[in-house]
Amino acid sequence: MMYHYVREKESWTGSVPISPDDFRAQIIWLKDRYEIISPDEMEKATDKPKCIISSDDATKDQYT
Protein backbone atom coordinates (compact mmCIF):
# COMPACT_ATOMS: atom_id res chain seq x y z
CA MET A 1 0.00 0.00 0.00
CA MET A 2 1.50 3.31 -0.99
CA TYR A 3 0.60 6.71 0.42
CA HIS A 4 1.52 10.23 -0.64
CA TYR A 5 0.36 12.64 2.06
CA VAL A 6 -1.35 12.10 5.42
CA ARG A 7 -2.64 15.41 6.73
CA GLU A 8 -5.74 17.23 7.84
CA LYS A 9 -8.11 18.15 5.00
CA GLU A 10 -7.74 21.91 5.45
CA SER A 11 -4.03 21.63 4.56
CA TRP A 12 -4.34 19.26 1.60
CA THR A 13 -1.78 19.92 -1.08
CA GLY A 14 0.19 17.59 -3.28
CA SER A 15 -1.18 14.47 -4.88
CA VAL A 16 -3.60 11.97 -3.39
CA PRO A 17 -3.81 13.21 0.21
CA ILE A 18 -5.58 11.24 2.95
CA SER A 19 -6.74 12.46 6.34
CA PRO A 20 -5.18 11.02 9.51
CA ASP A 21 -8.54 9.47 10.50
CA ASP A 22 -8.95 7.78 7.11
CA PHE A 23 -5.31 6.65 7.20
CA ARG A 24 -5.83 5.14 10.65
CA ALA A 25 -8.97 3.31 9.46
CA GLN A 26 -7.13 1.94 6.44
CA ILE A 27 -4.22 0.71 8.56
CA ILE A 28 -6.65 -1.07 10.91
CA TRP A 29 -8.39 -2.63 7.90
CA LEU A 30 -5.03 -3.76 6.50
CA LYS A 31 -3.87 -5.19 9.85
CA ASP A 32 -7.04 -7.28 10.07
CA ARG A 33 -6.46 -8.85 6.66
CA TYR A 34 -2.70 -8.73 6.03
CA GLU A 35 0.60 -9.25 7.78
CA ILE A 36 2.26 -5.83 7.60
CA ILE A 37 5.95 -6.39 6.96
CA SER A 38 9.08 -4.47 5.99
CA PRO A 39 10.71 -5.13 2.60
CA ASP A 40 13.40 -7.15 4.43
CA GLU A 41 10.74 -9.62 5.57
CA MET A 42 9.52 -10.74 2.12
CA GLU A 43 10.72 -14.29 2.74
CA LYS A 44 9.07 -14.45 6.18
CA ALA A 45 6.40 -17.11 6.56
CA THR A 46 3.05 -15.55 7.45
CA ASP A 47 -0.47 -16.81 8.11
CA LYS A 48 -2.01 -13.94 6.15
CA PRO A 49 -1.02 -12.32 2.84
CA LYS A 50 1.81 -9.81 3.18
CA CYS A 51 1.53 -6.02 2.88
CA ILE A 52 4.26 -3.38 2.78
CA ILE A 53 3.27 0.21 3.56
CA SER A 54 5.32 2.89 1.85
CA SER A 55 5.29 6.59 1.10
CA ASP A 56 5.74 7.70 -2.50
CA ASP A 57 8.77 9.93 -3.02
CA ALA A 58 9.34 10.02 0.75
CA THR A 59 10.27 13.68 0.90
CA LYS A 60 10.82 15.22 4.32
CA ASP A 61 7.42 16.94 4.42
CA GLN A 62 5.68 13.63 3.75
CA TYR A 63 7.60 11.92 6.52
CA THR A 64 6.85 14.59 9.12
Side-chain angles (χ1 to χ4, degrees):
M1 181 63 73
M2 182 183 63
Y3 292 92
H4 285 270
Y5 285 95
V6 179
R7 46 174 72 152
E8 296 297 340
K9 289 184 179 184
E10 60 272 2
S11 64
W12 276 7
T13 60
S15 64
V16 196
I18 186 171
S19 72
D21 288 339
D22 288 344
F23 177 73
R24 187 175 297 106
Q26 286 186 14
I27 297 301
I28 291 168
W29 187 91
L30 287 168
K31 281 185 67 177
D32 288 345
R33 291 161 179 81
Y34 295 88
E35 181 82 22
I36 298 175
I37 63 167
S38 71
D40 295 336
E41 297 175 304
M42 285 299 295
E43 301 300 320
K44 176 183 173 182
T46 61
D47 294 329
K48 298 187 266 187
K50 298 174 182 119
C51 177
I52 296 172
I53 299 172
S54 69
S55 178
D56 186 39
D57 300 330
T59 57
K60 184 177 180 179
D61 64 326
Q62 292 169 333
Y63 178 76
T64 55

